[in-house]
Amino acid sequence: MDIFNTYNLIIEACVIIILSFFFSEIAKKTNVPSVLLLIALGMILKVVMESFGISNFDFKQILEVLGTIGLIMIVLEAALELELKPEKLMPIGVSFAVALIGLLVSTATVAWILMYYFPAFTLHKAWLYATPLSILSSAIIIPSVGSLVAKKKEFHVYESTFSDIIGIMLFYFLAAKYESGNHLTMAGYSLNILITIVLSLVLSYGILLVFQNIKSSVKLFLLISVLILIYAIGKKMHLSSLIIILIFGLMIANVGLFFRGELAKWLKVEKAKDIYDGLHVITLETAFVVRTFFFVIFGITISLSALTNLYVVGIAALILLSIYVIRLILLRAFIGDNVVPQVFIAPRGLITVLLFYQIPVEGQLAGFEPGILMLIIIGSSLIMTGGMIFDHQRSNRTINKVKSDSVETTEWKAPSYDD
């Protein structure tokens, strides 16, 4: 039986998407991230494939393509959620500070741990490997924090988005050494970012002005294709292409801020709103599908032997401990005492895997254990699950106590009312 024939592939893909939908519903009820369920599904599929004698299929290139498209969709989706208003400056500033400091301190700590256990690591290579392990996963966080109060949800959306963008920029800055053959100076990289920002603004204004005048009802996937094309060309030119996606998303979500004075005359507000609404749906749906197949395929590629390797488990546990200790200190410093469940919401996911696959050959270390990556992704997701469940139970206890106190007060007052 050929499980890879046309109709079997169609059936398998549809079943996976349907299961992913139910996993998302289960996640809402139980706070268990759907990512864990998708990875588990991939691991089950691996056993099924091996029973059919399929064990040497190379999924790396598929993962890279899915990961890149997913990354673009996730950043665009997050940018569409960001409101740039004066009253948002403080939460945005706090989120940015936590994301930036958390990323740098975690990367430095994880790099030190890797250099201790793998002496062959140079400082540069250790930072290159440590950066993906220090980036929060907005692909997991954003769908998982919907039940939190607005202030906490807003913090996680901002923080995970900034962590993604800053982390990716840091990774490519470090990887540039192996791509160009020498260190890219901070001045050179700053110039690269400045050029990218200017180009992003020009392209974003141009794209929006053109697309608001397209009368065809079939234009949103054309717009997505244009954005992905610009991203890919930008990467070929060694630009920080993700900034282009971010700025376009911010512009379409905050047209009132970007189109002022004379520029306001060029904007068709209703058309721009239609584009925004359409993009919101498409990015949400596309990110869901891409995320589904990415984590299922990642589950297929996982080696279960890492789970029984105490050396690998020990290193992963130490890295996880460092991540949450640093996070607790930062959140207490910037937010205060009320840091539950925020301190537990620090999963690693799609971007971590994607960047690991993009480490240049010259920067790779043959002795590195890939099981560390898997255990950190699974471990951080489980910790987030535990934190969310604890917070949910705590909230329920508080609500029940308030109701109980209210009933007791009512019962106590009742006799005097009757009198």
Side-chain angles (χ1 to χ4, degrees), residues 139-216:
I140 299 176
I141 291 175
I142 292 175
S144 302
V145 297
S147 61
L148 298 182
V149 296
K151 186 176 180 181
K152 292 184 178 182
K153 177 183 175 182
E154 182 181 65
F155 169 78
H156 286 298
V157 171
Y158 289 149
E159 184 202 17
S160 60
T161 302
F162 287 134
S163 180
D164 285 352
I165 294 165
I166 299 168
I168 291 166
M169 291 169 63
L170 175 61
F171 176 84
Y172 286 124
F173 171 73
L174 295 167
K177 170 188 175 181
Y178 303 103
E179 293 175 355
S180 61
N182 50 43
H183 283 286
L184 186 63
T185 64
M186 185 58 70
Y189 195 66
S190 299
L191 179 61
N192 178 291
I193 293 175
L194 180 61
I195 292 172
T196 305
I197 291 174
V198 173
L199 184 61
S200 299
L201 287 169
V202 173
L203 288 173
S204 296
Y205 276 114
I207 291 171
L208 185 53
L209 291 174
V210 169
F211 273 83
Q212 71 175 1
N213 290 306
I214 296 178
K215 296 180 179 180
S216 172

Side-chain angles (χ1 to χ4, degrees), residues 18-250:
I18 292 169
L19 286 174
S20 181
F21 171 79
F22 284 110
F23 290 165
S24 297
E25 294 302 306
I26 291 172
K28 292 176 184 177
K29 301 291 185 182
T30 64
N31 290 312
V32 176
S34 59
V35 167
L36 287 180
L37 300 175
L38 291 171
I39 292 174
L41 176 60
M43 295 168 74
I44 293 171
L45 289 177
K46 180 178 182 178
V47 174
V48 173
M49 290 172 62
E50 288 176 346
S51 69
F52 283 96
I54 303 170
S55 58
N56 58 351
F57 193 86
D58 187 7
F59 287 100
K60 183 177 179 181
Q61 193 165 12
I62 298 175
L63 274 177
E64 288 183 4
V65 173
L66 284 174
T68 301
I69 295 174
L71 176 62
I72 293 170
M73 292 297 104
I74 289 165
V75 171
L76 183 57
E77 179 188 350
L80 293 173
E81 295 283 350
L82 297 179
E83 295 182 85
L84 301 180
K85 297 179 179 179
E87 60 269 26
K88 299 290 185 181
L89 288 179
M90 181 57 72
I92 288 176
V94 170
S95 302
F96 180 82
V98 172
L100 176 62
I101 299 172
L103 176 73
L104 294 177
V105 176
S106 291
T107 301
T109 305
V110 173
W112 180 84
I113 294 171
L114 292 178
M115 291 176 68
Y116 180 83
Y117 284 99
F118 300 98
F121 264 124
T122 62
L123 180 61
H124 192 96
K125 283 186 179 181
W127 268 72
L128 187 62
Y129 271 76
T131 300
L133 294 173
S134 303
I135 299 175
L136 299 175
S137 174
S138 60
I140 299 176
I141 291 175
I142 292 175
S144 302
V145 297
S147 61
L148 298 182
V149 296
K151 186 176 180 181
K152 292 184 178 182
K153 177 183 175 182
E154 182 181 65
F155 169 78
H156 286 298
V157 171
Y158 289 149
E159 184 202 17
S160 60
T161 302
F162 287 134
S163 180
D164 285 352
I165 294 165
I166 299 168
I168 291 166
M169 291 169 63
L170 175 61
F171 176 84
Y172 286 124
F173 171 73
L174 295 167
K177 170 188 175 181
Y178 303 103
E179 293 175 355
S180 61
N182 50 43
H183 283 286
L184 186 63
T185 64
M186 185 58 70
Y189 195 66
S190 299
L191 179 61
N192 178 291
I193 293 175
L194 180 61
I195 292 172
T196 305
I197 291 174
V198 173
L199 184 61
S200 299
L201 287 169
V202 173
L203 288 173
S204 296
Y205 276 114
I207 291 171
L208 185 53
L209 291 174
V210 169
F211 273 83
Q212 71 175 1
N213 290 306
I214 296 178
K215 296 180 179 180
S216 172
S217 57
V218 185
K219 62 182 179 181
L220 290 175
F221 272 105
L222 173 62
L223 175 55
I224 293 293
S225 299
V226 169
L227 290 175
I228 294 175
L229 176 64
I230 291 172
Y231 176 89
I233 293 174
K235 293 304 298 178
K236 288 285 187 181
M237 298 171 64
H238 303 290
L239 297 176
S240 301
S241 296
L242 210 59
I243 293 177
I244 300 173
I245 306 299
L246 175 66
I247 288 179
F248 177 79
L250 289 174

Side-chain angles (χ1 to χ4, degrees), residues 34-50 54-60 63 140 292-309 312-313 348-350 352-353 357 369-379 381-382:
S34 59
V35 167
L36 287 180
L37 300 175
L38 291 171
I39 292 174
L41 176 60
M43 295 168 74
I44 293 171
L45 289 177
K46 180 178 182 178
V47 174
V48 173
M49 290 172 62
E50 288 176 346
I54 303 170
S55 58
N56 58 351
F57 193 86
D58 187 7
F59 287 100
K60 183 177 179 181
L63 274 177
I140 299 176
T292 293
F293 287 107
F294 182 89
F295 284 111
V296 168
I297 293 174
F298 177 64
I300 294 174
T301 63
I302 284 176
S303 172
L304 296 179
S305 61
L307 296 174
T308 59
N309 188 328
V312 173
V313 172
R348 274 52 177 165
L350 186 148
T352 297
V353 179
Y357 280 112
E369 293 284 353
I372 295 172
L373 170 68
M374 178 196 71
L375 288 169
I376 288 174
I377 290 174
I378 294 175
S381 294
L382 288 173

